[in-house]
Amino acid sequence: MAKTTPLIVHPVTALDPRSTQALHVQVYERLRMAVLSGLLKGGARLPSTRALANELRVSRTPVLAAYEQLAAEGYVESRVGAGTRVVAEMPEHLLNAGPAGVTAHVRQARDEKRAIAARGNVMAREKFGPELRIGQRSWRTAFRVAVPALEEFPFEIWSRLVSRHLRRPRQEILDYHGAAGLERLRRAIAAHLSVSRGIRCSSDQILIVAGAQSGIDLSARVLLDPGDTALVENPGHLGIYGALRGAGVKIASVAIDREGFAISGRSNFGRNARVAFVTPSNQFPLAVTMSLPRRLALLDWAQSNGAWIVEDDYDSEFRFSGRPIEALRALDRGDRVLYIGSFSKVLYPGLRLGYMVVPADLVDAFAAARRFIDVHPPLLPQAALTDFIEEGHFGRHLRRMRMIYAERAQALSEAFDRHLSGALSIAQPQAGMHTVAWITGKLSDRSVSEAAAREGVEARPLSVYSLGRSKPGLVLGFGNVMPREITEGARKLARALDRIRHH
Amino acid sequence: MAKTTPLIVHPVTALDPRSTQALHVQVYERLRMAVLSGLLKGGARLPSTRALANELRVSRTPVLAAYEQLAAEGYVESRVGAGTRVVAEMPEHLLNAGPAGVTAHVRQARDEKRAIAARGNVMAREKFGPELRIGQRSWRTAFRVAVPALEEFPFEIWSRLVSRHLRRPRQEILDYHGAAGLERLRRAIAAHLSVSRGIRCSSDQILIVAGAQSGIDLSARVLLDPGDTALVENPGHLGIYGALRGAGVKIASVAIDREGFAISGRSNFGRNARVAFVTPSNQFPLAVTMSLPRRLALLDWAQSNGAWIVEDDYDSEFRFSGRPIEALRALDRGDRVLYIGSFSKVLYPGLRLGYMVVPADLVDAFAAARRFIDVHPPLLPQAALTDFIEEGHFGRHLRRMRMIYAERAQALSEAFDRHLSGALSIAQPQAGMHTVAWITGKLSDRSVSEAAAREGVEARPLSVYSLGRSKPGLVLGFGNVMPREITEGARKLARALDRIRHH
């Protein structure tokens, strides 16, 4: 099928029967606007006059007249056998004739009171940029955060599984579905969690969501009312701050030290908070693992305050060494923990799939909220993912990736020892795909980050993730960076630090 | 790849190094719980002891001991060459030994104060069942609502387009992405709307969302604060009611008459409302088209009150006869209309894709809110959909489907004339894939619906969609029902009415 034109003609035509404009003028005006606004680009092919007339339910006469007018004015050109196309180079005088109506329209509208909701403005002001300011550089740039080793994903297998479901599609993937997601996938995840994370739950307690962020948003809306308070990690994940503030929730921040979330068991702190949002397996962004005493203190806090804990376990699958510590949800005797898992790091971010485990008595409320957000998650990727897990590809992929990330973590540690030992202090990563380098001396992390960017290295300032002041540091990802680029990145970073120090 | 077991072994083991339990007891307990809770079903194969030991990072000795214990107690059985499997029939005494810990756990938890948010409870109480109570009957049952003719969708083409993007995946579909969605798709949609609906917008004003519901939820959160008032249609779409109430918004209902949304231009009505949610092209559920005077009155209301209009144009692509009326967004001189389109009806519901057109000055706030809900929509279906549109499949599919729905609408009209003319009064559908049959006489629509269900016919009571009292009616879908089944469904419905009248 030849790729000719983005112009689609639609059965419901927009020609206006009440208009005083003749039909051919209306057709002409619509096409002209499409060209001038850039919607129909230079070289784009217009539909045949017969097809367009058919669509617009008019005779060919007004369509032919419109095409002729457009050609006469220089917007389009027709060639025998090649149809009618938008001219490649638009003459200046036509460009200046631009869509003035549209512009005036917007200008007028801007001048009036155009209020949106306070919470809409709150979200618009929240930062979540670093995760999303992408595409300017290669995705393999050192040291981009939160991207897995995408070239290692078995796309041939994945493509085969997806195609299998599309070629003979069943009702299961086509029709509307319950909000919790495919039962088969929920069962596979429950089995996985039972054996691998010590989390006992029935598949009824699992909801498929659109990545970890979707579980965070859902929790904020179901568990918290406007004006309620939630505990968050500081520094922490900007997606959590934004979702909570957008939900009208007050944030009380808890510092992260060597043992993680610094809450003590029975103090008055956090008495009025209803939920704590934490990343205990591998804190984001500090890459600290929450200690067992802290875990028990946090569970105790939840139990004695009748509060909830949302455990965002976004990359717990990758631990390189040392004894793993059980998930909070697995230690939880009071059934106070909601667990969030993501497939963004173990498969790929563009997939937008994750899951939640919620206490049995909260399942209905979560499913109900999900329905009103977007009815249910897309079904085809869920069906393919179920096969991917059940046929053993998932387990194999995790094992491979753990080795790859361990190797990259080692490369990072060695390269920083060699090239940056005086300027940055880094702990060898034990898990996941990011770590923090502390800046020794008096430089601000923003200035180092900017200097690094000038050398072509992405080194996010830790202060971006902090509520209030923070020690200067850089958050560094190594998931999608090859060992050679890691070493090269460390050299460039050393050069950047050198320049800024001697400037 | 043989499909053996849903048991996945995970690199992060959950064995507890601090536990006083021996390793083999821990392995035994985890597997036993998985069997008793039904996660590992009868016949499921366990991984080899070597693979499990490897995963759990222990020697094979404790794993072998655990397997032997499970076999000795009768949970699993091993056969040479067939590995170890869960027994097909679990002995009664083992079943009764059940996961008592889990049960006691949940029971204890239920007895305590386990409060969720007020808004969480509001959503849990909202009804949205009819759209989702599916799967019990065939999806081809007369007269299921809101399902398109799924067997007519060109899955071979679609599968080819999807596979093309997966076999050589680009960063575009794998990595994180901007919240608005793929630029190429937004451009294709803008071109489509320009020509087919007379809507002039730049691709920057388009956001890809997860179906129409997602656009409704997003609008509620960006445009309305808790305590604000929104105008809604009565009867109307339950997804709108639920999303608004879940967002803490007060609902003011407007009746639907022959001309649609019964608002008059300059009255005091709706003075304190900030947004109106409407389905002007084909009202849901009454299938009325909003008249031009009403459209102008509504636009006038928005302009003079500084309010917004959310135009849910969920199935405007299918109009069978009569002159089409322009979208509100196309008539809107004050830039007050937010337009929502969906691919659930023109492709298939399980896809979960739709789009919004928002005024240029609202784009940033909508994109920001989207980020905190689920970062961005999945990318693979967007890439495939772009090709589907650009290569002309979309236009062809729309043309075919319009003819098919017109045929089914005709079949419905004829069958009801023949079999139900005394009992039900129906207007021949002019558009879309549903209509309303008014019940003559004194029967309640719920009782007729229940009688129909006993005959195997789905006929939703109109009262389900009504705020307060309503005239008794049935909402009938014909999108995925073949003409023969439509006729048969009408006969069964006549029989149901007969029975209930002579009971």
Side-chain angles (χ1 to χ4, degrees):
Chain A
M1 194 51 59
K3 187 156 160 182
T4 50
T5 160
L7 177 72
I8 297 308
V9 181
H10 192 289
V12 181
T13 133
L15 296 191
D16 187 350
R18 302 166 311 283
S19 173
T20 52
Q21 281 189 325
L23 286 176
H24 73 273
V25 179
Q26 292 189 47
V27 175
Y28 159 84
E29 268 299 344
R30 276 158 178 77
L31 289 169
R32 183 173 155 270
M33 290 302 288
V35 171
L36 285 174
S37 62
L39 293 171
L40 279 173
K41 296 200 138 179
R45 188 153 129 189
L46 272 58
S48 74
T49 51
R50 186 181 306 277
L52 187 59
N54 211 13
E55 280 309 309
L56 298 177
R57 297 169 166 211
V58 294
S59 76
R60 269 178 83 196
T61 317
V63 178
L64 275 168
Y67 277 42
E68 275 164 20
Q69 182 72 16
L70 288 164
E73 293 183 4
Y75 291 100
V76 303
E77 49 193 2
S78 299
R79 278 196 209 139
V80 178
T84 303
R85 290 178 187 272
V86 178
V87 293
E89 294 280 340
M90 191 68 61
E92 193 68 24
H93 73 279
L94 292 181
L95 278 178
N96 290 341
V102 171
T103 316
H105 194 233
V106 170
R107 197 179 307 120
Q108 168 228 354
R110 282 263 167 81
D111 295 336
E112 289 158 26
K113 196 191 76 175
R114 295 175 65 78
I116 63 169
R119 63 177 155 201
N121 280 318
V122 164
M123 285 186 278
R125 278 197 303 267
E126 280 298 307
K127 58 188 177 185
F128 192 30
E131 269 81 4
L132 296 166
R133 203 180 312 131
I134 49 173
Q136 295 103 320
R137 293 217 186 83
S138 161
W139 56 355
R140 295 200 184 85
T141 301
F143 296 97
R144 262 201 61 193
V145 173
V147 189
L150 293 167
E151 74 276 16
E152 302 291 340
F153 185 72
F155 281 103
E156 268 188 39
I157 294 169
W158 182 246
S159 175
R160 183 160 49 77
L161 299 179
V162 169
S163 302
R164 185 199 289 169
H165 286 283
L166 268 187
R167 276 196 311 269
R168 292 179 298 278
R170 287 177 299 181
Q171 177 170 2
E172 180 186 75
I173 71 155
L174 298 182
D175 202 353
Y176 285 103
H177 197 276
L182 283 194
E183 165 63 19
R184 290 195 302 131
L185 177 58
R186 291 186 287 136
R187 192 171 285 278
I189 291 171
H192 164 64
L193 290 174
S194 166
V195 176
S196 69
R197 298 292 278 143
I199 293 176
R200 294 162 192 176
C201 65
S202 111
S203 60
D204 294 338
Q205 290 174 258
I206 292 184
L207 284 99
I208 309 302
V209 295
Q213 184 65 34
S214 160
I216 291 163
D217 175 60
L218 199 52
S219 301
R221 291 167 78 175
V222 174
L223 301 178
L224 291 155
D225 278 312
D228 284 349
T229 299
L231 302 183
V232 297
E233 299 173 328
N234 181 20
H237 176 37
L238 300 179
I240 293 177
Y241 301 165
L244 289 170
R245 287 178 174 147
V249 172
K250 285 184 231 150
I251 283 177
S253 74
V254 176
I256 303 299
D257 62 18
R258 278 156 192 248
E259 292 190 68
F261 203 65
I263 187 179
S264 61
R266 301 236 171 239
S267 79
N268 272 332
F269 183 81
R271 278 292 287 280
N272 63 344
R274 298 188 61 179
V275 187
F277 287 79
V278 289
T279 55
S281 294
N282 188 28
Q283 203 269 338
F284 192 87
L286 294 187
V288 176
T289 304
M290 195 187 293
S291 71
L292 185 65
R294 287 285 173 76
R295 284 173 197 245
L296 298 175
L298 183 59
L299 289 165
D300 194 38
W301 165 82
Q303 191 63 23
S304 43
N305 287 283
W308 305 102
I309 298 167
V310 177
E311 175 176 28
D312 178 3
D313 217 28
Y314 63 100
D315 78 348
S316 68
E317 291 83 358
F318 307 116
R319 176 156 289 278
F320 314 134
S321 61
R323 281 294 201 167
I325 291 190
E326 271 179 305
L328 274 172
R329 173 76 206 170
L331 292 166
D332 174 24
R333 303 286 159 251
D335 207 18
R336 289 274 164 198
V337 176
L338 294 85
Y339 179 92
I340 299 177
S342 171
F343 293 107
S344 295
K345 307 296 182 281
V346 294
L347 276 83
Y348 59 94
L351 181 66
R352 310 309 310 136
L353 275 183
Y355 55 91
M356 295 192 72
V357 182
V358 302
D361 52 344
L362 301 192
V363 167
D364 289 347
F366 272 79
R370 187 65 209 268
R371 288 182 331 216
F372 295 116
I373 293 174
D374 56 9
V375 193
H376 62 77
L379 299 168
L380 173 63
Q382 293 184 62
L385 180 54
T386 312
D387 293 351
F388 192 74
I389 296 175
E390 288 186 344
E391 294 180 9
H393 308 297
F394 185 66
R396 263 189 299 282
H397 182 57
L398 289 182
R399 289 193 287 277
R400 271 198 66 221
M401 298 316 290
R402 188 179 41 178
M403 278 165 50
I404 287 172
Y405 295 137
E407 194 181 292
R408 294 181 182 187
Q410 183 66 32
L412 182 78
S413 188
E414 285 172 11
F416 275 58
D417 274 358
R418 187 171 320 151
H419 301 291
L420 287 152
S421 59
L424 297 175
S425 137
I426 195 171
Q428 175 156 353
Q430 303 295 310
M433 47 185 78
H434 76 275
T435 192
V436 166
W438 300 103
I439 298 170
T440 50
K442 298 207 166 168
L443 296 170
S444 81
D445 51 18
R446 281 174 196 272
S447 66
V448 175
S449 181
E450 282 159 19
R454 286 192 292 270
E455 299 289 336
V457 170
E458 205 171 310
R460 294 195 188 159
L462 179 60
S463 52
V464 164
Y465 301 99
S466 302
L467 300 160
R469 291 206 168 191
S470 63
K471 268 176 68 183
L474 303 170
V475 184
L476 306 169
F478 53 84
N480 202 32
V481 193
M482 313 273 253
R484 194 159 34 88
E485 273 74 44
I486 288 174
T487 310
E488 189 51 40
R491 264 197 220 107
K492 288 180 182 168
L493 197 50
R495 198 155 56 218
L497 277 156
D498 231 44
R499 292 219 172 133
I500 196 174
R501 285 215 156 95
H502 298 99
H503 192 65
Chain B
M1 193 52 55
K3 188 159 159 180
T4 50
T5 160
L7 176 73
I8 296 305
V9 181
H10 193 287
V12 180
T13 135
L15 295 192
D16 186 349
R18 300 164 314 281
S19 172
T20 53
Q21 279 188 328
L23 286 177
H24 73 272
V25 178
Q26 292 189 46
V27 176
Y28 159 83
E29 267 300 344
R30 275 160 177 74
L31 288 169
R32 182 173 156 270
M33 289 303 287
V35 171
L36 286 172
S37 63
L39 293 173
L40 280 174
K41 298 198 136 179
R45 188 154 130 187
L46 273 58
S48 75
T49 51
R50 187 181 306 277
L52 188 58
N54 211 12
E55 281 309 311
L56 298 178
R57 300 172 166 207
V58 294
S59 77
R60 272 178 82 197
T61 317
V63 179
L64 276 168
Y67 277 42
E68 275 164 21
Q69 182 71 17
L70 289 164
E73 293 182 7
Y75 291 100
V76 302
E77 49 193 3
S78 299
R79 275 193 212 143
V80 179
T84 303
R85 288 178 187 274
V86 178
V87 293
E89 292 282 340
M90 191 67 63
E92 192 68 23
H93 72 279
L94 292 182
L95 278 179
N96 289 343
V102 171
T103 317
H105 195 232
V106 171
R107 198 180 305 119
Q108 168 228 354
R110 283 260 167 82
D111 294 335
E112 291 157 24
K113 195 191 76 174
R114 294 175 65 78
I116 63 169
R119 63 177 156 202
N121 280 317
V122 164
M123 285 186 278
R125 278 197 303 268
E126 281 296 307
K127 58 188 177 183
F128 193 30
E131 269 80 3
L132 296 166
R133 204 180 312 129
I134 51 172
Q136 295 105 320
R137 293 216 186 83
S138 161
W139 57 354
R140 295 202 183 82
T141 302
F143 295 98
R144 261 200 64 192
V145 173
V147 189
L150 294 168
E151 74 277 16
E152 301 291 340
F153 185 72
F155 281 104
E156 267 187 39
I157 293 170
W158 183 245
S159 173
R160 183 161 50 76
L161 299 180
V162 169
S163 303
R164 184 199 290 170
H165 286 282
L166 267 187
R167 275 196 312 269
R168 292 180 299 278
R170 285 176 300 180
Q171 177 170 2
E172 180 187 75
I173 71 156
L174 299 181
D175 202 353
Y176 286 102
H177 198 277
L182 283 194
E183 165 66 17
R184 290 196 301 133
L185 178 56
R186 291 185 287 135
R187 191 171 286 277
I189 291 171
H192 164 64
L193 290 173
S194 166
V195 177
S196 68
R197 297 292 277 142
I199 293 175
R200 293 163 193 174
C201 64
S202 111
S203 61
D204 294 337
Q205 290 174 261
I206 293 183
L207 284 99
I208 309 302
V209 295
Q213 183 66 34
S214 159
I216 291 163
D217 174 61
L218 199 51
S219 301
R221 291 166 78 175
V222 174
L223 302 178
L224 292 154
D225 278 312
D228 284 348
T229 300
L231 302 183
V232 297
E233 299 173 328
N234 180 22
H237 177 37
L238 300 179
I240 293 177
Y241 300 166
L244 288 171
R245 286 176 174 149
V249 171
K250 285 185 231 151
I251 283 176
S253 75
V254 176
I256 303 299
D257 62 17
R258 278 154 192 251
E259 292 191 68
F261 202 64
I263 188 179
S264 61
R266 302 237 170 238
S267 80
N268 272 331
F269 183 81
R271 278 293 288 278
N272 62 345
R274 299 189 59 180
V275 187
F277 287 79
V278 288
T279 56
S281 294
N282 188 29
Q283 204 270 338
F284 191 86
L286 294 188
V288 176
T289 303
M290 195 187 294
S291 71
L292 185 65
R294 287 286 174 76
R295 284 174 197 244
L296 298 176
L298 183 59
L299 290 165
D300 194 36
W301 166 82
Q303 191 63 25
S304 43
N305 286 281
W308 305 102
I309 298 167
V310 177
E311 175 177 28
D312 178 3
D313 217 28
Y314 63 101
D315 77 351
S316 68
E317 292 83 358
F318 307 116
R319 174 156 292 276
F320 315 135
S321 60
R323 279 295 200 169
I325 291 191
E326 272 180 305
L328 274 172
R329 171 79 205 168
L331 293 166
D332 174 25
R333 302 287 159 250
D335 206 18
R336 290 273 164 199
V337 176
L338 294 85
Y339 179 92
I340 299 177
S342 171
F343 294 106
S344 296
K345 307 296 181 280
V346 292
L347 277 81
Y348 59 96
L351 181 66
R352 310 309 310 131
L353 276 183
Y355 54 92
M356 296 192 73
V357 181
V358 302
D361 52 343
L362 301 193
V363 167
D364 289 347
F366 272 80
R370 188 64 210 271
R371 288 182 332 214
F372 296 117
I373 293 173
D374 55 9
V375 193
H376 62 78
L379 299 168
L380 173 62
Q382 293 185 62
L385 179 54
T386 310
D387 292 351
F388 192 74
I389 296 174
E390 288 186 346
E391 294 180 10
H393 308 297
F394 185 67
R396 264 189 298 283
H397 182 58
L398 289 181
R399 288 192 288 275
R400 271 198 68 221
M401 298 316 291
R402 190 179 40 177
M403 280 165 51
I404 287 172
Y405 295 136
E407 194 181 292
R408 293 180 182 187
Q410 184 65 30
L412 183 78
S413 188
E414 285 173 12
F416 274 58
D417 274 358
R418 187 171 320 151
H419 301 291
L420 287 152
S421 59
L424 296 175
S425 137
I426 195 171
Q428 175 158 352
Q430 302 297 311
M433 45 185 81
H434 77 276
T435 191
V436 165
W438 300 103
I439 298 170
T440 51
K442 296 206 168 172
L443 295 169
S444 81
D445 51 19
R446 281 173 195 272
S447 66
V448 175
S449 180
E450 283 159 17
R454 286 191 293 271
E455 300 288 338
V457 169
E458 205 171 309
R460 293 197 188 158
L462 180 60
S463 52
V464 164
Y465 301 99
S466 302
L467 299 161
R469 291 205 168 194
S470 64
K471 269 175 68 183
L474 302 170
V475 183
L476 306 169
F478 53 84
N480 201 32
V481 194
M482 312 273 254
R484 193 158 34 88
E485 273 73 43
I486 287 173
T487 310
E488 188 52 37
R491 266 199 217 103
K492 287 180 182 169
L493 196 50
R495 198 153 57 219
L497 277 156
D498 231 44
R499 292 219 170 134
I500 197 174
R501 286 215 155 92
H502 300 98
H503 191 65

